PDB file of all heavy atoms in Angstrom:
ATOM      1  N   ARG A1055     -20.652  -6.182 -16.915  1.00  0.00           N
ATOM      2  CA  ARG A1055     -20.729  -4.828 -16.332  1.00  0.00           C
ATOM      3  C   ARG A1055     -19.335  -4.382 -15.895  1.00  0.00           C
ATOM      4  O   ARG A1055     -18.457  -5.216 -15.702  1.00  0.00           O
ATOM      5  CB  ARG A1055     -21.663  -4.826 -15.122  1.00  0.00           C
ATOM      6  CG  ARG A1055     -23.080  -5.291 -15.443  1.00  0.00           C
ATOM      7  CD  ARG A1055     -23.826  -5.486 -14.128  1.00  0.00           C
ATOM      8  NE  ARG A1055     -25.201  -5.925 -14.323  1.00  0.00           N
ATOM      9  CZ  ARG A1055     -26.009  -6.286 -13.300  1.00  0.00           C
ATOM     10  NH1 ARG A1055     -25.545  -6.244 -12.045  1.00  0.00           N
ATOM     11  NH2 ARG A1055     -27.234  -6.666 -13.531  1.00  0.00           N
ATOM     12  N   LEU A1121     -23.198  -2.400 -11.873  1.00  0.00           N
ATOM     13  CA  LEU A1121     -22.298  -3.039 -10.917  1.00  0.00           C
ATOM     14  C   LEU A1121     -22.040  -4.506 -11.241  1.00  0.00           C
ATOM     15  O   LEU A1121     -22.966  -5.321 -11.266  1.00  0.00           O
ATOM     16  CB  LEU A1121     -22.868  -2.937  -9.491  1.00  0.00           C
ATOM     17  CG  LEU A1121     -22.597  -1.629  -8.742  1.00  0.00           C
ATOM     18  CD1 LEU A1121     -23.452  -1.565  -7.472  1.00  0.00           C
ATOM     19  CD2 LEU A1121     -21.120  -1.487  -8.395  1.00  0.00           C
ATOM     20  N   ALA A1122     -20.777  -4.840 -11.447  1.00  0.00           N
ATOM     21  CA  ALA A1122     -20.383  -6.236 -11.682  1.00  0.00           C
ATOM     22  C   ALA A1122     -20.270  -6.974 -10.358  1.00  0.00           C
ATOM     23  O   ALA A1122     -20.661  -8.128 -10.245  1.00  0.00           O
ATOM     24  CB  ALA A1122     -19.054  -6.289 -12.422  1.00  0.00           C
ATOM     25  N   ALA A1123     -19.710  -6.304  -9.351  1.00  0.00           N
ATOM     26  CA  ALA A1123     -19.414  -7.002  -8.098  1.00  0.00           C
ATOM     27  C   ALA A1123     -19.373  -6.061  -6.903  1.00  0.00           C
ATOM     28  O   ALA A1123     -19.091  -4.864  -7.055  1.00  0.00           O
ATOM     29  CB  ALA A1123     -18.070  -7.726  -8.213  1.00  0.00           C
ATOM     30  N   VAL A1124     -19.662  -6.626  -5.757  1.00  0.00           N
ATOM     31  CA  VAL A1124     -19.374  -5.967  -4.484  1.00  0.00           C
ATOM     32  C   VAL A1124     -18.367  -6.852  -3.775  1.00  0.00           C
ATOM     33  O   VAL A1124     -18.569  -8.057  -3.647  1.00  0.00           O
ATOM     34  CB  VAL A1124     -20.626  -5.817  -3.605  1.00  0.00           C
ATOM     35  CG1 VAL A1124     -20.251  -5.175  -2.276  1.00  0.00           C
ATOM     36  CG2 VAL A1124     -21.701  -5.007  -4.299  1.00  0.00           C
ATOM     37  N   THR A1150     -27.379  -7.847  -3.573  1.00  0.00           N
ATOM     38  CA  THR A1150     -26.590  -8.303  -4.713  1.00  0.00           C
ATOM     39  C   THR A1150     -27.337  -9.400  -5.477  1.00  0.00           C
ATOM     40  O   THR A1150     -27.351  -9.410  -6.711  1.00  0.00           O
ATOM     41  CB  THR A1150     -25.196  -8.805  -4.278  1.00  0.00           C
ATOM     42  OG1 THR A1150     -25.351  -9.679  -3.153  1.00  0.00           O
ATOM     43  CG2 THR A1150     -24.284  -7.655  -3.893  1.00  0.00           C
ATOM     44  N   ASN A1153     -30.071  -8.046  -7.658  1.00  0.00           N
ATOM     45  CA  ASN A1153     -29.658  -7.218  -8.785  1.00  0.00           C
ATOM     46  C   ASN A1153     -28.618  -7.878  -9.702  1.00  0.00           C
ATOM     47  O   ASN A1153     -28.012  -7.205 -10.535  1.00  0.00           O
ATOM     48  CB  ASN A1153     -29.133  -5.869  -8.274  1.00  0.00           C
ATOM     49  CG  ASN A1153     -30.246  -5.026  -7.679  1.00  0.00           C
ATOM     50  OD1 ASN A1153     -31.057  -4.457  -8.407  1.00  0.00           O
ATOM     51  ND2 ASN A1153     -30.324  -4.972  -6.370  1.00  0.00           N
ATOM     52  N   GLY A1154     -28.426  -9.176  -9.538  1.00  0.00           N
ATOM     53  CA  GLY A1154     -27.498  -9.882 -10.406  1.00  0.00           C
ATOM     54  C   GLY A1154     -26.052  -9.401 -10.269  1.00  0.00           C
ATOM     55  O   GLY A1154     -25.280  -9.400 -11.230  1.00  0.00           O
ATOM     56  N   ILE A1155     -25.699  -8.945  -9.060  1.00  0.00           N
ATOM     57  CA  ILE A1155     -24.339  -8.475  -8.790  1.00  0.00           C
ATOM     58  C   ILE A1155     -23.569  -9.598  -8.098  1.00  0.00           C
ATOM     59  O   ILE A1155     -24.106 -10.235  -7.172  1.00  0.00           O
ATOM     60  CB  ILE A1155     -24.367  -7.220  -7.893  1.00  0.00           C
ATOM     61  CG1 ILE A1155     -25.183  -6.107  -8.559  1.00  0.00           C
ATOM     62  CG2 ILE A1155     -22.961  -6.751  -7.549  1.00  0.00           C
ATOM     63  CD1 ILE A1155     -25.616  -4.990  -7.612  1.00  0.00           C
ATOM     64  N   VAL A1156     -22.349  -9.835  -8.518  1.00  0.00           N
ATOM     65  CA  VAL A1156     -21.530 -10.890  -7.890  1.00  0.00           C
ATOM     66  C   VAL A1156     -21.071 -10.418  -6.504  1.00  0.00           C
ATOM     67  O   VAL A1156     -20.502  -9.338  -6.369  1.00  0.00           O
ATOM     68  CB  VAL A1156     -20.297 -11.212  -8.766  1.00  0.00           C
ATOM     69  CG1 VAL A1156     -19.396 -12.238  -8.078  1.00  0.00           C
ATOM     70  CG2 VAL A1156     -20.746 -11.724 -10.151  1.00  0.00           C
ATOM     71  N   LEU A1157     -21.350 -11.210  -5.504  1.00  0.00           N
ATOM     72  CA  LEU A1157     -20.889 -10.877  -4.146  1.00  0.00           C
ATOM     73  C   LEU A1157     -19.592 -11.638  -3.866  1.00  0.00           C
ATOM     74  O   LEU A1157     -19.550 -12.864  -3.927  1.00  0.00           O
ATOM     75  CB  LEU A1157     -21.944 -11.227  -3.104  1.00  0.00           C
ATOM     76  CG  LEU A1157     -21.535 -10.959  -1.645  1.00  0.00           C
ATOM     77  CD1 LEU A1157     -21.228  -9.479  -1.395  1.00  0.00           C
ATOM     78  CD2 LEU A1157     -22.606 -11.445  -0.664  1.00  0.00           C
ATOM     79  N   ASP A1182     -20.938 -15.386  -3.807  1.00  0.00           N
ATOM     80  CA  ASP A1182     -20.780 -16.054  -5.108  1.00  0.00           C
ATOM     81  C   ASP A1182     -19.333 -16.471  -5.314  1.00  0.00           C
ATOM     82  O   ASP A1182     -19.046 -17.525  -5.867  1.00  0.00           O
ATOM     83  CB  ASP A1182     -21.229 -15.114  -6.235  1.00  0.00           C
ATOM     84  CG  ASP A1182     -22.661 -14.687  -6.039  1.00  0.00           C
ATOM     85  OD1 ASP A1182     -23.535 -15.571  -6.003  1.00  0.00           O
ATOM     86  OD2 ASP A1182     -22.915 -13.472  -5.883  1.00  0.00           O
TER      87      ASP A1182
END
Side-chain angles (χ1 to χ4, degrees):
R1055 302 170 180 173
L1121 277 169
V1124 178
T1150 47
N1153 291 285
I1155 302 163
V1156 176
L1157 178 61
D1182 302 301

